[in-house]
Amino acid sequence: MPDTKDVDQARSFLQGERLTFAQANALWNRLKKDDELSWARQVLQRLREEPDCVSDGLPNAKATNDILCHQQALLTSKDPELDAATRHDDALELLARRFEFIKNKELPGDGETLGIAGGISKRRWSDLGQLKDLMQAAEFYERGARNDLGDDAYPHINAAFLEDVLAEAGQQPEERRRRARELRERILRDIEISGTWFNTATRAEALFGLERYDEATEVLRQSAAKPAPWELRTMAEQVAHLAHIHKKQPLSVPSIRKFFDTLLSGAGSAIRSVMIGKVGLALSGGGFRASFYHLGVLACLAECDALRDVEVLSCVSGGSIVGACYWLKLRQRLLQPGALTRDDYIELVRDLIKHFQLAVDTDVRGQVQPYVASILWHMALGEKGALSPEKVAAALEEHFYRPLWSAGGLPRDNEPIRMDQLVFTPADHNPALAGPGEFNPAKHNWLRAQKVPALILNATTVNTGHVWHFTSTWMGESPWAVHEAADSIPRLEWSNYDGTVGWHIGLGRAVAASACVPMVFAPLRLGKSYEKGIEVSLVDGGVHDNQGTVSLLASGCNVILVSDACGQLMLEPVPTPGLRGLKKSTMRSMDTLMERVRLANFADLDARRRSGLLRGLMFLHLKSGLDAEVIRLSFSQEAYVLKREPLSRSGVRKDFQQALAELRTDLNVFTADEACGLMACGYQMASKALYDQLPKLQEIWQRTPRTDWPFKDMLDEITSGKNTTALREKRLQALREGSSVDFWAGSPSWLIKAFRRVRSSIRTYFAATIA
């Protein structure tokens, strides 16, 4: 997207142009209103820190300078360009330098400043998930609530809200609920009715928090105030959080539904959005094994009508390959008029499965690696990997993505689908409801019945070790996964696409970068767009975050669905000796580290769920429910015997689940049994987990009769409780044989024999030398 006139003026101002105070003050206000938060923050920072930048100097009025400080702190806390781990601390420090009472609890402070400090701490809790930040926010709001109510009782109503949140998290529940009730009763008793939106919102929320839902609805009905969409959304989301604290199934309570019908009059879809929360779906890496597993999960989510609620789709490696296909299929449908029904989503996934199976049958790896000689030649040229990511990108573009493209015609044969071409406006977008301006999923999805998910493809930057993101509007290293307090490596700036300077990329190349398994593929190079001669090299996103959950948290998702089919650590009975063992040992060390990262990601998500930061978490992984045997000592005298059931907790036969979990993570052809087995496993595990792990959403994501999916026969097989079936052993054996990767595919027999003779001679030589 081109820069606006205000952004151009901000850039000139930051480069030295002088403005009057009135001009500079109006500029940052306009930038803030247009959601250009980073530019607004930088303009305001220069305005406060360099008084000579304005020709008429800064005003001496204390009230004006207090406001400027408040706004700089707010913008610093919200600036997406700043590190999420430090920007909130920096914002609080800005307040503390001007207002001594921020750090000194013994000093009295004004409600507005303390309310802003509480909001910053609450935002830090939202970003980082630490309970201490939630408690600090509650403390700031409580101190602010010692002041008069003013027009909107901002710190008072938020103090009451956080008391309830902390009580729900188990922090002195009885005492905190009592304080919340007293704060709301004080608001209703003492606040003067003014007719402004925030005055109305505070009174309605106070009544709602006291579970006086009908009275809260009446306050809304009597109000003539017309809030801006963001003001309405802020209140709706906070009250929805309260509704989930009060009731297991809020929308089943008629008075609660009536309240939201009144609050969001004319925007019935928004009721569903605020009650569910912001849903993010993460599709892990793991080659085509992961891709087919994810297709089964998508089938389940379509069947229970949950796909329409997904607002962010974060993909890694094999998840990126299938995730981009799903996103393009959805884009096709959303460009057509008419609302999507549950059946439409089911049909969409059914068509996606058919398309994906045909694309996989083209044998991507076979196309980029015809025979072993090409690998040896590729490595001899100095590449840090056996296969070319550019060839993979071309194969993905041709077979997976171009057949799904519909945007008024395909690009010419020699031109790829570019990431910036993915931006679109759905046919049913309603500017009268959403407000003026271009369609923006981040701003408008909450008003929609069928969301337009933000697509995030995750890769890893070799140069820095940071995560690299591709979206439909920008690429680069975002601050989301960079913690400056513990990471001194420079961050490579992110930026919107700009074809005039060569800052763009094709969809196929972005996905190939996300799937560039180190040593198997050479890194994908982006060229030298950065200063200091840096040439960006990208590898598999799984090196940094194989589940893609960091992007969901950074996007503000509070309901997270994780489909994890990545390769996991297996038991190694005896380490392999010699040079071959050295390679295996190195790879196992890498696998151990990745397993540790996977477990740490899950622990972080679970902690956020327990603290109330996440409304819901569904975490699937392919080995979930398999027996973790205790291997006894050879001299053990223990006599206990554990009873092992044939089905896992998900209702999948453990023998099939184990075989599927050990399938290769490759980009070659998968047999019908392999593909259907993986899809059936993903479907069954999601069907079980969706309602076990997200019970509060059962009233919205409802079970339906099973659809006749292409993997139906395999689903019956892998969930069968029968002692035997006609095809069980044959299918199991076929799946077990699919665990290894055939790197000799397409190679002539004479070359295979010659390579093996050379390898044998090398081993003999080194064995004799060591001896």
Side-chain angles (χ1 to χ4, degrees):
M1 296 175 62
D3 288 340
T4 64
K5 182 179 179 181
D6 285 334
V7 169
D8 288 337
Q9 186 177 12
R11 183 178 287 109
S12 298
F13 178 66
L14 295 173
Q15 291 174 349
E17 180 186 2
R18 297 182 80 194
L19 300 173
T20 65
F21 172 77
Q23 289 173 327
N25 194 47
L27 175 60
W28 72 259
N29 271 288
R30 291 196 303 272
L31 289 165
K32 177 186 175 184
K33 184 178 179 181
D34 292 341
D35 210 28
E36 295 284 358
L37 301 183
S38 186
W39 287 108
R41 192 264 308 167
Q42 293 177 74
V43 168
L44 188 48
Q45 181 175 336
R46 184 173 186 232
L47 184 61
R48 291 192 68 228
E49 295 179 1
E50 302 177 37
D52 291 342
C53 69
V54 288
S55 56
D56 51 350
L58 293 180
N60 292 323
K62 179 181 182 301
T64 300
N65 284 284
D66 284 353
I67 291 172
L68 294 178
C69 180
H70 288 162
Q71 292 301 314
Q72 186 184 353
L74 278 172
L75 290 169
T76 299
S77 177
K78 294 180 178 181
D79 188 349
E81 284 284 352
L82 300 177
D83 176 19
T86 59
R87 67 190 183 207
H88 309 296
D89 291 337
D90 293 341
L92 288 173
E93 187 60 33
L94 281 168
L95 291 177
R97 285 202 296 265
R98 182 167 183 84
F99 305 98
E100 189 179 352
F101 56 79
I102 291 294
K103 291 185 176 179
N104 189 339
K105 300 177 185 179
E106 302 301 319
L107 297 175
D110 68 273
E112 184 174 1
T113 304
L114 288 165
I116 289 171
I120 291 169
S121 298
K122 186 166 69 170
R123 206 169 295 114
R124 192 178 196 279
W125 166 64
S126 180
D127 281 349
L128 304 179
Q130 299 296 311
L131 185 61
K132 64 180 180 65
D133 295 319
L134 184 62
M135 297 183 74
Q136 183 184 51
E139 180 184 298
F140 278 130
Y141 282 132
E142 188 276 328
R143 291 171 60 195
R146 297 172 194 171
N147 293 276
D148 293 337
L149 295 170
D151 180 63
D152 58 10
Y154 172 74
H156 309 72
I157 196 65
N158 280 285
F161 169 71
L162 288 190
E163 292 289 358
D164 273 338
V165 172
L166 285 165
E168 183 72 4
Q171 294 286 319
Q172 301 174 300
E174 295 302 322
E175 176 66 16
R176 289 192 180 278
R177 289 191 183 103
R178 180 187 62 78
R179 291 205 293 263
R181 184 174 62 254
E182 290 175 352
L183 280 163
R184 292 179 178 122
E185 288 173 346
R186 178 190 168 192
I187 290 171
L188 295 172
R189 183 180 64 248
D190 297 341
I191 197 169
E192 293 185 11
I193 300 175
S194 69
T196 66
W197 164 248
F198 285 114
N199 180 278
T200 298
T202 293
R203 290 185 292 118
E205 183 180 331
L207 287 164
F208 193 98
L210 293 171
E211 300 187 50
R212 293 158 60 179
Y213 306 127
D214 290 334
E215 293 175 71
T217 302
E218 191 59 31
V219 167
L220 294 177
R221 282 179 176 163
Q222 293 177 359
S223 174
K226 293 184 178 181
W230 72 266
E231 294 171 339
L232 192 61
R233 182 177 185 179
T234 298
M235 181 199 178
E237 289 176 344
Q238 183 150 305
V239 175
H241 196 135
L242 284 176
H244 280 285
I245 290 175
H246 292 171
K247 309 292 181 183
K248 287 185 177 180
Q249 297 183 342
L251 289 182
S252 64
V253 180
S255 55
I256 291 180
R257 178 176 283 277
K258 185 187 296 184
F259 174 86
F260 282 99
D261 283 337
T262 304
L263 176 66
L264 303 170
S265 178
S269 300
I271 300 173
R272 180 182 173 107
S273 295
V274 297
M275 294 308 297
I276 293 175
K278 188 172 184 179
V279 181
L281 174 61
L283 304 180
S284 79
F288 285 156
R289 182 184 79 182
S291 299
F292 280 114
Y293 182 84
H294 299 327
L295 283 170
V297 174
L298 289 172
C300 172
L301 295 178
E303 204 170 75
C304 67
D305 210 19
L307 275 183
R308 71 170 63 251
D309 297 308
V310 173
E311 295 197 44
V312 184
L313 181 62
S314 177
C315 311
V316 184
S317 196
S320 293
I321 298 174
V322 71
C325 285
Y326 166 71
W327 195 91
L328 287 174
K329 286 288 293 181
L330 181 59
R331 180 182 185 276
Q332 274 184 345
R333 180 59 183 82
L334 289 173
L335 283 169
Q336 301 170 16
L340 273 73
T341 65
R342 183 197 309 262
D343 289 342
D344 288 328
Y345 279 97
I346 290 173
E347 193 61 31
L348 188 153
V349 175
R350 194 192 303 278
D351 289 346
L352 174 64
I353 290 172
K354 186 185 302 181
H355 164 77
F356 198 82
Q357 286 178 311
L358 290 173
V360 169
D361 285 344
T362 63
D363 190 6
V364 172
R365 185 167 63 79
Q367 293 180 55
V368 302
Q369 179 220 324
Y371 52 86
V372 171
S374 67
I375 296 179
L376 301 177
W377 178 250
H378 197 63
M379 299 291 282
L381 294 176
E383 292 290 354
K384 296 178 181 179
L387 309 179
S388 166
E390 300 296 347
K391 291 183 179 179
V392 172
L396 292 173
E397 182 88 24
E398 179 181 356
H399 301 294
F400 288 79
Y401 304 133
R402 288 178 73 88
L404 300 179
W405 182 249
S406 59
L410 285 165
R412 293 194 296 270
D413 290 341
N414 62 338
E415 292 183 355
I417 300 169
R418 298 194 317 271
M419 290 295 294
D420 58 291
Q421 291 175 317
L422 300 183
V423 178
F424 74 104
T425 298
D428 63 346
H429 176 57
N430 184 1
L433 182 63
E438 296 181 356
F439 173 74
N440 183 333
K443 294 180 180 179
H444 302 139
N445 260 338
W446 77 290
L447 293 166
R448 296 180 49 78
Q450 46 271 336
K451 315 302 182 190
V452 178
L455 177 64
I456 302 176
L457 305 176
N458 297 266
T460 305
T461 314
V462 177
N463 313 69
T464 63
H466 297 153
V467 65
W468 180 284
H469 290 120
F470 297 101
T471 76
S472 59
T473 55
W474 59 266
M475 65 178 177
E477 292 183 356
S478 78
W480 300 343
V482 179
H483 297 275
E484 292 180 355
D487 185 354
S488 61
I489 301 174
R491 177 172 66 89
L492 301 180
E493 182 184 13
W494 61 351
S495 180
N496 288 344
Y497 298 114
D498 186 347
T500 61
V501 293
W503 187 251
H504 58 81
I505 192 169
L507 173 61
R509 291 190 75 216
V511 173
S514 177
C516 263
V517 179
M519 292 187 287
V520 176
F521 295 95
L524 186 138
R525 294 185 174 87
L526 289 187
K528 297 182 178 180
S529 297
Y530 288 92
E531 298 173 348
K532 300 182 179 180
I534 293 174
E535 182 178 18
V536 176
S537 294
L538 302 175
V539 294
D540 195 302
V543 174
H544 190 278
D545 172 17
N546 205 22
Q547 287 70 46
T549 56
V550 172
S551 301
L552 300 184
L553 294 173
S555 301
C557 297
N558 53 17
V559 176
I560 290 183
L561 315 176
V562 182
S563 178
D564 182 6
C566 65
Q568 295 182 23
L569 208 61
M570 300 291 185
L571 175 68
E572 184 179 41
V574 180
T576 306
L579 289 177
R580 186 181 177 193
L582 179 62
K583 183 187 82 170
K584 282 195 170 184
S585 176
T586 302
M587 292 302 297
R588 191 161 183 83
S589 296
M590 173 74 77
D591 292 342
T592 301
L593 178 60
M594 294 311 300
E595 182 75 0
R596 180 70 186 89
V597 171
R598 189 183 73 84
L599 293 174
N601 280 354
F602 172 74
D604 176 54
L605 292 173
D606 192 49
R608 290 168 182 267
R609 178 187 63 81
R610 292 174 184 274
S611 74
L613 182 56
L614 292 182
R615 288 192 195 171
L617 170 64
M618 183 186 81
F619 197 104
L620 306 175
H621 67 90
L622 195 47
K623 293 182 71 176
S624 175
L626 293 179
D627 300 323
E629 300 284 353
V630 176
I631 301 177
R632 299 180 187 177
L633 291 163
S634 58
F635 54 83
S636 174
Q637 299 299 307
E638 297 292 338
Y640 63 84
V641 176
L642 294 178
K643 183 181 179 181
R644 301 300 189 188
E645 302 295 340
L647 300 182
S648 71
R649 293 188 299 271
S650 299
V652 179
R653 291 194 61 84
K654 292 177 183 176
D655 47 6
F656 274 96
Q657 190 176 334
Q658 186 71 47
L660 291 167
E662 294 179 2
L663 279 175
R664 65 201 177 280
T665 55
D666 194 16
L667 298 184
N668 65 352
V669 176
F670 273 53
T671 67
D673 276 353
E674 290 170 340
C676 288
L678 287 163
M679 288 188 284
C681 188
Y683 173 90
Q684 177 64 23
M685 294 179 78
S687 300
K688 185 70 173 174
L690 199 63
Y691 299 102
D692 287 351
Q693 299 179 27
L694 298 171
K696 290 187 176 182
L697 294 176
Q698 288 188 30
E699 64 176 324
I700 299 177
W701 294 346
Q702 297 180 354
R703 293 178 184 272
T704 59
R706 182 191 295 176
T707 301
D708 190 18
W709 294 105
F711 50 80
K712 177 182 179 298
D713 289 345
M714 186 60 84
L715 180 62
D716 292 338
E717 182 74 82
I718 71 170
T719 58
S720 172
K722 297 178 181 178
N723 290 333
T724 186
T725 64
L727 296 175
R728 178 174 297 167
E729 290 307 316
K730 181 180 178 181
R731 282 171 165 168
L732 266 174
Q733 183 59 30
L735 291 176
R736 287 164 178 159
E737 289 174 356
S739 62
S740 60
V741 179
D742 182 13
F743 282 111
W744 297 93
S747 303
S749 59
W750 64 267
L751 180 61
I752 297 173
K753 292 177 182 178
F755 181 81
R756 287 175 176 167
R757 281 198 299 270
V758 171
R759 183 179 63 185
S760 177
S761 299
I762 292 173
R763 286 178 178 171
T764 303
Y765 170 78
F766 276 102
T769 302
I770 294 171

